[in-house]
Amino acid sequence: MDIVLVEGDITEQRVDAVVNAANSSLLGGGGVDGAIHRRGGPAILEECRALRASRYAGGLPAGQAVETTAGRLPARWVIHTVGPVYSRGEDRSHLLASCYRESLAVADRLGAATVAFPAISTGVYRWPMEDAARIALTTVRMTTARQAASTVREVRFVLFSNAAYAAFETALAESP
Ligand code: AR6
C-alpha cells in the first residue's frame, strides 16, 4: 500500500473514492464539503438526504463514515466522514483516528483501490495541522498494516496549501 502526498484540490482527483470532511447533518457545508457538493452536483446531496431519512435520522456521528455516489466528480464514490471539532480541554484524537479507520473500512467494503483524503478537521473544525497530520498518517499506516488483504492500494492525501503539505511531509517522515 502506497501513501502519496499531493498539494491540490481533492475534487480534481481521479481516484475510486474521495473522502469528504462532512458534518453530522450530511447536508453540505463549506470547505471541502462545499467544494465536493458543488463540483459533484445534486446526485450526492440526494443520496445524503436519503441516508438522513433512513439509517442516519439523527445524523452521522463523529468518527463514522458512509458512502454515496460521486456524481460528476472523476471518482466512483464519496465517503462522507465527520471529524471532531478540536477542543483544548478534551482529547478527541480517537474520533479523528476513527474517521480514517472507518473511511478505509468503507473503501475496502466497496472494493476501492485508490482513496483520496483531505486533512480532516483542520479547517472549520480548527484541529492544528501538525497534530492532525501525525494522527492521519499513524492511523492509515496502522490500519493498512492490519488489513493486508484490503483492496486499497493507494491512499492519497490531498493537501490544500503548502503549509498543509509540509506538515504531512514531516509527519510522513516521522511516522512509525
Ligand atoms: N481540496 C482539498 N482540501 C481542501 C479543499 C479542497 N477542495 N477545500 C478545503 N480543503 P474543512 P473540517 C482543506 O473546513 O475542518 C464544512 O463546512 C482545508 O484547507 O473543509 O473537517 C463541513 O460541512 C482544511 O485543511 O473541514 C463541516 O461543517 C481541510 O480541507 C466542517 O466544515 C478541512 O477543512 C468540517 O470541518
Side-chain angles (χ1 to χ4, degrees):
M1 208 278 305
D2 294 326
I3 294 180
V4 178
L5 308 182
V6 302
E7 190 179 332
D9 182 340
I10 203 165
T11 64
E12 292 172 359
Q13 305 297 312
R14 292 190 177 277
V15 285
D16 292 329
V18 165
V19 176
N20 181 19
N23 61 59
S24 288
S25 82
L26 288 176
L27 300 179
V32 77
D33 195 7
I36 284 173
H37 280 283
R38 250 189 330 272
R39 191 96 186 242
I44 301 174
L45 188 58
E46 220 169 275
E47 277 194 34
C48 285
R49 285 194 204 283
L51 285 166
R52 282 302 306 275
S54 55
R55 269 159 76 191
Y56 297 109
L60 180 67
Q64 294 193 24
V66 65
E67 80 279 10
T68 65
T69 173
R72 293 194 290 260
L73 293 177
R76 293 175 70 185
W77 302 282
V78 172
I79 298 174
H80 305 264
T81 190
V82 180
V85 175
Y86 183 72
S87 160
R88 282 170 185 250
E90 190 188 354
D91 183 6
R92 298 176 180 165
S93 343
H94 63 289
L95 289 172
L96 185 55
S98 176
C99 288
Y100 289 98
R101 212 167 35 240
E102 293 301 317
S103 297
L104 287 172
V106 170
D108 185 38
R109 175 166 53 70
L110 293 169
T114 47
V115 182
F117 278 100
I120 299 165
S121 287
T122 63
V124 174
Y125 288 174
R126 301 187 315 274
W127 206 292
M129 189 61 78
E130 283 70 24
D131 194 48
R134 190 182 52 72
I135 293 166
L137 285 161
T138 309
T139 308
V140 167
R141 281 223 160 124
M142 273 172 50
T143 307
T144 52
R146 276 204 208 114
Q147 298 174 340
S150 169
T151 61
V152 179
R153 290 283 152 261
E154 180 189 318
V155 171
R156 190 181 305 174
F157 288 98
V158 184
L159 294 324
F160 208 47
S161 68
N162 197 251
Y165 182 88
F168 271 72
E169 205 175 30
T170 303
L172 182 60
E174 289 172 357
S175 80

